[in-house]
Amino acid sequence: MIEAILRVNHLSVSFDTYAGTVRAVRDISFDLGPGETLALVGESGCGKSVTCRSVMGLLARNARVEAGEILFQGEDLLKKSNREMRAIRGGKIAMIFQDPMTSLDPTMKIGRQIAEAVTLHRKVSRGEAKRRVLELLQLVGIEEGEKRYHQYPHEFSGGQRQRIVIAIALAADPRILIADEPTTALDVTMQAQILDLMKDIQRKTGTSVIFITHDLGVVANVADRVAVMYAGRIVEIGTADEVFYDPRHPYTWGLLASMPTLATEDEKLYAIPGTPPTLIDPQPGDLFAPRNPYALEADKIAEPPLFPVSGTHFAATWLLDPRAPKIDPPEAIRRRARERGSL
Amino acid sequence: MNRWIPYIAKRLFYMALTLFIIITATFFLMNFLPGTPFNNQDRLSASQLEMLNKKYGFDQPLFSRYLNYLGNILHGDFGISLQFSDQKITTLLGQRMGPSIQLGLQAVLFGTVVGVFLGMIAAMHQNRGLDVFCSLFAITGRSVPNFVVAVLLQYLFAITLKWLPIGLWDEGFRSTILPTLALSISPMAESCRFIRTEMVEVLSSDYIELARAKGMSEIRIAFSHGLRNALIPLITVLGPMTVSLMTGSLVVENIFAVPGIGEQFTKSILSNDYYTIMAVTILFSALLVTVIFLTDILYQLIDPRVRVEGQA
Ligand SMILES: Nc1ncnc2c1ncn2[C@@H]1O[C@H](COP(=O)(O)OP(=O)(O)OP(=O)(O)O)[C@@H](O)[C@H]1O
Ligand SMILES: [Mg+2]
């Protein structure tokens, strides 16, 4: 395998709050190859954003990195100084946020907001910066750049604003693009357009992408690999094919079964029962057990480790322990695999 | 640009209406003030009193006096002072506007610049030492009356250290320093508190997060994105603050013996100088309405989101 550009090893992040310590991210490991798209999927509150903010060095003040390392091109980002991180942030690793309506400064012309991102990381003249901005506007599909350069955010639609945010992220040709639910706040047609744009850009620039979403339907179209998170842990990780057509974790089964595309006419849309657990003083054992129809006795005692399914596919469920009873995935999941096989 | 014209016309009409109501209300209220302008009334004979009343028009029916007064104002004539035997009020106030306006502007300028700076520091160090210090300062500044500050400054810098004149308006800029400082405490505290609140909110907004993600330093973020957004709402409080300072602080002007409007106003109230009281009230109101109008225009020029064009 080619050397990974980003490698997160055993990362744990907690937040100190008045209610107690929130264990938001617990012992997460993954890596990201050059030009690869990794999707981080999971319900709200499972720690997707915290994971990415750790990579960006943008954690809230009450956050504490308890353990782990984040290796970017071989160097641990957690050991970098503020100043060093500023050069990486936006320069080598850029981020796109969820809500394009609030991500742009309402009092500044968009041209200047993009130009800022250019000049922060490159020594260029004003003219060159402007030329680069116009080039970026064109790249993200905003027409009449010369005129648009001088407009304010409120003069753009939600989809266009997200394109501008993407232009800002691309300003310094980053090696990694982190997109934190970039389409969640948009309507369906806009979502599709922005996804196409991102794929297009990735093809042109060869950046690696971490794509956060809670919508598996989106993932299927963009991801090379998928990491499924639950309650601060990665519970299943593998190539997109492996996770979609040969999922092993009951939580992944639940997520897949609740995808609208999977439900046939006679089936009701499935929803995983229960709610995510509290991350303050979590109970012992597997945190998914209370919601898991396939929970074993072992789940009440200890958290399952990540069992290898293949060289690239891992899942954290005791069902994969050799001693566990053999359990078949639900019918809907098996049907998917069959349909896929017959394609 | 054309769309500004109906907007401005409408605003001007309402300004005129407001002033008219204020003039009318003060005129009639003034009649219920106890006492008369003639301070030695007890010693005046009935015929002398009648003569004075006639001279100043107090023998006319109230309503015709009102119409007269309105007519005169339209010609820029605010009548004559009863206190300073027969000086024209426009001349009287004209001489005294200068010092008040100068002090007011200096105080607002100095106060807000320092206040904004402190508020920004406070917001950037939320809930830490410097923030607590700035908040304490703001609370003190808002609760201690400016004449107390005035006396303290006077004692410290004029009497003990002898660095600056104790009062009077005869050493040019040097005479203005202490009263300016005393007057600037309130805009300083006010804008410090205001900017801190605004800035804390702005600094937690998504576009600031995006600026951080660009790799911008906190200082640069605070100035180029934070301050810009936090300052816009400050404009709305700045206007009225400027007026109240320009029209003079009654007590501070007295303490430093500044020949300003505030001092004049105090005197005219004490002596029931009807026409001067009215003229000062009208002047205050006119300044206030004008400043509020200008503030709104400025707000729309600065904040791209609330342009008149946008108000479909
Ligand atoms: N500053 C903070 N202080 C305390 N707890 C926090 C803080 N930031 C995040 N958390 C907690 O950490 C957990 C993970 O949050 P995170 O934002 O990563 O979720 P997410 O997976 O991105 O969810 P969403 O889909 O809603 O964005 C949540 O339980 C959240 O409440
Ligand atoms: Mg999130």
Side-chain angles (χ1 to χ4, degrees), chain A residues 3-21:
Chain A
E3 187 57 32
I5 182 163
L6 182 77
R7 180 162 277 159
V8 174
N9 287 329
H10 303 289
L11 179 71
S12 293
V13 180
S14 298
F15 292 96
D16 295 319
T17 68
Y18 290 115
T21 306

Side-chain angles (χ1 to χ4, degrees), chain A residues 64-76:
Chain A
R64 213 156 15 97
V65 177
E66 309 255 19
E69 49 182 15
I70 300 174
L71 301 176
F72 172 69
Q73 298 179 323
E75 292 175 43
D76 190 354

Side-chain angles (χ1 to χ4, degrees), chain A residues 125-191:
Chain A
S125 70
R126 287 184 88 175
E128 283 170 308
K130 177 155 186 195
R131 221 169 307 125
R132 171 76 179 143
V133 172
L134 295 177
E135 192 182 295
L136 285 163
L137 282 175
Q138 185 159 22
L139 180 66
V140 298
I142 291 198
E143 275 150 34
E144 297 182 276
E146 272 293 345
K147 178 178 141 216
R148 296 302 227 164
Y149 188 97
H150 296 288
Q151 291 184 329
Y152 289 92
H154 71 272
E155 296 169 74
F156 294 83
S157 72
Q160 287 174 318
R161 289 194 211 184
Q162 195 62 305
R163 287 169 192 269
I164 293 166
V165 173
I166 294 174
I168 290 176
L170 295 174
D173 277 323
R175 302 298 311 277
I176 301 177
L177 196 59
I178 300 178
D180 191 348
E181 313 219 21
T183 60
T184 310
L186 302 173
D187 65 46
V188 183
T189 43
M190 277 302 164
Q191 283 189 8

